[in-house]
């Protein structure tokens, strides 16, 4: 029987290896027959949720890779709403509520509170932070 993992990503999509390492770790977890309860993007990790990234053609598009993995494996991608709002990461609801003209977050990324992180921490067999 496999383990249930929760992954916390605190590093941005670009500029550090945190998000890339977390993505590769998620792939390895799934390939080993384990499950991922969810990924929680926290602090600068919320930058992974923005669909406005435009990496060079020879670089991985981490936003797109996270989206593909989440859809394929049905893994929730939770993004800390407080950290996101401070960094200009807004879904359509938050953009409207804030009076902003546009958003930069869409499914499968979800803006969530720390309660969601707490639930993941309680229910997971293992929690790994990047």
């Amino acid at each position: 029987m496999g383990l249930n993992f929760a992954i916390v990503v605190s590093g941005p999509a670009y500029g550090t290896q945190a998000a890339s390492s977390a993505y590769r770790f998620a792939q390895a977890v799934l390939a080993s027959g384990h499950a991922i309860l969810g990924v929680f993007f926290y602090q600068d990790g919320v930058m992974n949720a923005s669909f406005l990234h435009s990496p060079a053609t020879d670089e991985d598009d981490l936003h797109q890779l996270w989206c593909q993995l989440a859809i394929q494996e049905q893994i929730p991608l939770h993004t800390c709403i407080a950290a996101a709002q401070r960094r200009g990461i807004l879904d359509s609801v938050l953009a409207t509520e804030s009076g902003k003209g546009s958003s930069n977050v869409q499914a499968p990324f979800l803006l969530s509170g720390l309660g969601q992180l707490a639930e993941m921490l309680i229910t997971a067999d293992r929690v790994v932070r990047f």
Side-chain angles (χ1 to χ4, degrees), residues 97-109:
E97 289 174 358
S98 301
K100 304 296 181 189
S102 62
S103 63
N104 57 353
V105 175
Q106 60 189 15
F109 282 90

Side-chain angles (χ1 to χ4, degrees), residues 35-88:
I36 299 173
L37 296 176
V39 180
F40 194 87
F41 296 91
Y42 189 54
Q43 297 169 329
D44 285 342
V46 301
M47 301 303 288
N48 287 275
S50 175
F51 61 75
L52 295 177
H53 290 286
S54 185
T57 56
D58 63 340
E59 294 179 356
D60 288 335
D61 185 341
L62 279 173
H63 174 81
Q64 190 60 37
L65 291 173
W66 280 118
C67 289
Q68 290 170 354
L69 184 68
I71 292 166
Q72 180 181 349
E73 301 294 335
Q74 297 182 349
I75 300 169
L77 301 179
H78 298 284
T79 306
C80 177
I81 191 167
Q85 192 170 7
R86 278 188 223 101
R87 291 165 176 83

